[in-house]
Amino acid sequence: MSSRPTPSRRPLSGAGPVILHAPTDPGWLPLALANFDAVLVDHAHCEKKAAANALSMLQAYPDLPGLPSQMARLAREESAHLARVLDLMAARGLTLTRDAGDPYAQGLQKHVRTPALERRVDRLLVAAIIEARSCERLSLLAEGLTDPALARFYGELAQSEDGHQSLFHRLAVTASNGDEAGVDARLQHLLAQESRVLADVGLRAAIH
């Protein structure tokens, strides 16, 4: 019998600049594993929205140095992830349902400031936080899944999400004219809000 591979890294709290304030409740993983089909469908919607968000960033901020090319690549990568998740769903006889929305992401969006410059920084930081939480959750799935191929797949995706959170953080610093201290102070504020949003949303058979 082959053993399940262990990912080479464990970015459970975000290995890059976004260190989550609160870890996922230990009850999430058994819930997700017991309802893995539902998690797969939700995961597909997450990848779809990640690709759409990258293109939205490109549309909104084409003048931010480095952003257009990075977001074009990110949209392509997230679309490729979506295709792989859809293949997994098809193999399990699942179809993509209508997107019911993500209360976690919606809760974070409520904390985005409205003035244009502040909104740009906050949008990038919220994206970084979502990627960091996704990194943590996908790492947990990689460790908990008993199917070696699925475990390897989710380990690979966790590494990708870790890189994405670093990318969005770098772009937020660029958007604030290099004010890294100011960006990190704002990040800490948003991370505190993220902990509250996570608690309000509660445990769900979903990525967030």
Side-chain angles (χ1 to χ4, degrees), residues 19-32:
I19 307 301
L20 300 168
H21 285 190
T24 284
D25 187 300
W28 177 82
L29 181 59
L31 175 67

Side-chain angles (χ1 to χ4, degrees), residues 64-65 117 120-121 170-181 183:
L64 187 65
L117 294 179
R120 181 171 67 173
V121 170
R170 290 196 303 272
L171 290 171
V173 172
T174 300
S176 64
N177 297 314
D179 181 13
E180 189 165 356
V183 166

Side-chain angles (χ1 to χ4, degrees), residues 105-180:
Q106 292 164 0
L108 287 178
Q109 293 298 333
K110 293 178 181 178
H111 298 284
V112 172
R113 294 170 291 182
T114 54
L117 294 179
E118 288 87 348
R119 177 175 175 78
R120 181 171 67 173
V121 170
D122 281 4
R123 281 192 66 188
L124 291 164
L125 288 178
V126 164
I129 291 170
I130 291 173
E131 296 285 0
R133 183 62 69 184
S134 298
C135 172
E136 181 210 32
R137 295 278 174 96
L138 298 182
S139 292
L140 289 170
L141 285 173
E143 294 184 349
L145 287 162
T146 57
D147 182 284
L150 280 176
R152 188 179 308 110
F153 173 61
Y154 276 96
E156 292 170 0
L157 290 190
Q159 297 299 328
S160 294
E161 304 299 82
D162 190 36
H164 298 166
Q165 59 118 332
S166 296
L167 168 62
F168 280 116
H169 181 269
R170 290 196 303 272
L171 290 171
V173 172
T174 300
S176 64
N177 297 314
D179 181 13
E180 189 165 356

Side-chain angles (χ1 to χ4, degrees), residues 25-53:
D25 187 300
W28 177 82
L29 181 59
L31 175 67
L33 293 175
N35 299 275
F36 187 63
D37 284 355
V39 172
L40 263 181
V41 174
D42 178 75
H43 186 187
H45 284 301
C46 288
E47 298 291 359
K48 174 198 68 182
K49 285 180 280 196
N53 184 61

